[in-house]
Amino acid sequence: MNGSSSHRRFAQAAFAAFLIFALPGTALAASAPDCDWNLDGVKQIANTQQFRGKVLYVDFWASWCAPCVLSFPFMNQLQSALGGQGLQVLAVNMDARSEDEQRFLAAHPARFDVASGENAQCAKNFGVAAMPSSFIVDRAGTIRFVHRGFRPDDAGQLRTEVQQLLANKLAQ
């Protein structure tokens, strides 16, 4: 293992530990970890570099998560309303069985990207400690806000945070 790889793993572990103790809705300024995501049934390397210039709303979810049922309509609306301004919603599924994910998506269709497959390491790198957990990443690849759980009352604050980052075109 080379020094760069060791340093990156240490930095990701330290970042994950920091996020575990961050409060819901906490404002941050830490680089988003890179992850390999399976998008649209094809394994792609989707990382912060590929989303540079966009505001990225990363949401970790699972089919058994009751608040996730409430968050999907919000994320659909968010992508629809703000996608043209540079927002990309990415929902990262944490189900062990793809059948559970497919059943959930049949009942609650997503009009945004969904990452399927093995996402445990990515969740660990982000410091996911609850379902759902949302990370709002600015245009430069920096996590600015972290939210654990979802209640309909959270929608206004989440939307405001996304709009603030969309308006900040300097951080690219």
Side-chain angles (χ1 to χ4, degrees), residues 15-16 57 104:
F15 177 67
Y57 184 101
F104 181 95

Side-chain angles (χ1 to χ4, degrees), residues 76-155:
N76 278 331
Q77 189 279 331
L78 199 64
Q79 182 66 54
S80 176
L82 301 175
Q85 296 176 39
L87 173 69
Q88 178 61 57
V89 174
L90 174 64
V92 182
N93 181 256
M94 298 304 299
D95 283 311
R97 298 178 337 143
S98 63
E99 304 82 37
D100 295 334
E101 174 191 5
Q102 294 308 316
R103 191 174 315 111
F104 181 95
L105 292 173
H108 311 283
R111 294 189 305 268
F112 45 81
D113 287 334
V114 176
S116 303
E118 178 53 48
N119 293 308
Q121 185 61 50
C122 182
K124 182 178 178 182
N125 292 349
F126 267 86
V128 172
M131 288 293 140
S133 286
S134 300
F135 300 83
I136 305 174
V137 181
D138 72 14
R139 295 174 187 272
T142 301
I143 296 175
R144 295 297 176 174
F145 301 98
V146 177
H147 292 268
R148 291 197 177 80
F150 181 85
R151 294 176 309 277
D153 293 348
D154 297 338

